[in-house]
Amino acid sequence: MQDRHNAELLTLAHAGDRSAWQELVRRYVRLVWAVPRSHRLAPDDAADVCQTTWLALAENLQRIRHPDRLGAWLVTTARHESLAVLRLRGREDPIEVWDLPDHGATPEGLALTSETRTRLWHAYATLTDRCREVLRLAAFAPELSFSQVAEAVGVPLNSLGPTRARCLAALRRRLGVEVAR
């Protein structure tokens, strides 16, 4: 099944071929999970988003117009579901992913860390949607391949590296960070 194209797998899965469905899930499960993770949903909410995304695919197996862009369809569906969960739950405080365990940090150190984190999130919020998505996937889904990230963001594979570099440069400029080359 691994050598089959998405169009064929979708047709077989619609006909009830369990191995075709399993191959589709195997190909895209990490990509689908990355979306709710990038929205910082709680584990239970992320699992619900993933389950709803796969259910939507199962219900729409015959309606996928561009099987070669199935990854983008799944990411869009998972993004819509993630945003719906966020709307239902209300905006919660983001998880501080860069918090280090407290080993008796000094008040001065805590203040600097908090200020740095605040500056980073403010600078990040000023980036374009595409830059935020590229950097979010890089930070929260490092296990994704370059091609999966390119497909999820909707950029050509050979443009992802330069796009990511421009996004990081923009973030550094907004933070006022000079990088030695």
Side-chain angles (χ1 to χ4, degrees):
M1 286 284 166
Q2 292 181 1
D3 58 339
R4 296 204 169 157
H5 295 285
N6 286 344
E8 187 177 0
L9 290 172
L10 289 167
T11 302
L12 290 170
H14 180 69
D17 187 331
R18 187 179 177 117
S19 62
W21 177 260
Q22 289 172 338
E23 177 59 20
L24 287 169
V25 172
R26 185 198 65 76
R27 284 183 187 181
Y28 295 104
V29 69
R30 290 170 48 175
L31 183 63
V32 171
W33 267 103
V35 176
R37 285 181 52 201
S38 72
H39 284 85
R40 298 182 304 236
L41 294 180
D44 290 343
D45 289 337
D48 288 346
V49 165
C50 290
Q51 185 175 14
T52 303
T53 301
W54 291 115
L55 177 61
L57 177 60
E59 292 172 343
N60 292 286
L61 286 169
Q62 279 189 302
R63 294 186 195 109
I64 304 295
R65 289 187 219 151
H66 303 287
D68 55 315
R69 301 212 56 234
L70 180 59
W73 187 93
L74 288 166
V75 166
T76 300
T77 302
R79 183 181 305 127
H80 286 266
E81 290 301 323
S82 296
L83 294 174
V85 168
L86 287 171
R87 275 191 302 275
L88 287 174
R89 303 278 187 273
R91 195 65 156 147
E92 298 175 5
D93 291 333
I95 298 169
E96 298 298 338
V97 296
W98 288 302
D99 270 349
L100 298 175
D102 183 11
H103 297 291
T106 66
E108 296 86 4
L110 290 174
L112 288 174
T113 301
S114 177
E115 180 185 333
T116 301
R117 188 178 307 116
T118 300
R119 285 184 56 232
L120 175 63
W121 283 114
H122 284 291
Y124 174 81
T126 66
L127 296 174
T128 64
D129 289 342
R130 176 170 281 171
C131 279
R132 284 195 311 268
E133 188 69 17
V134 167
L135 296 179
R136 182 180 9 225
L137 288 174
F140 293 106
E143 73 279 358
L144 292 180
S145 71
F146 229 58
S147 60
Q148 288 174 315
V149 172
E151 184 176 352
V153 178
V155 298
L157 181 60
N158 60 350
S159 297
L160 181 59
T163 300
R164 185 175 63 178
R166 283 191 300 275
C167 293
L168 286 170
L171 183 61
R172 285 185 192 106
R173 280 191 307 275
R174 285 168 171 78
L175 287 171
V177 175
E178 293 295 322
V179 178
R181 293 193 188 237

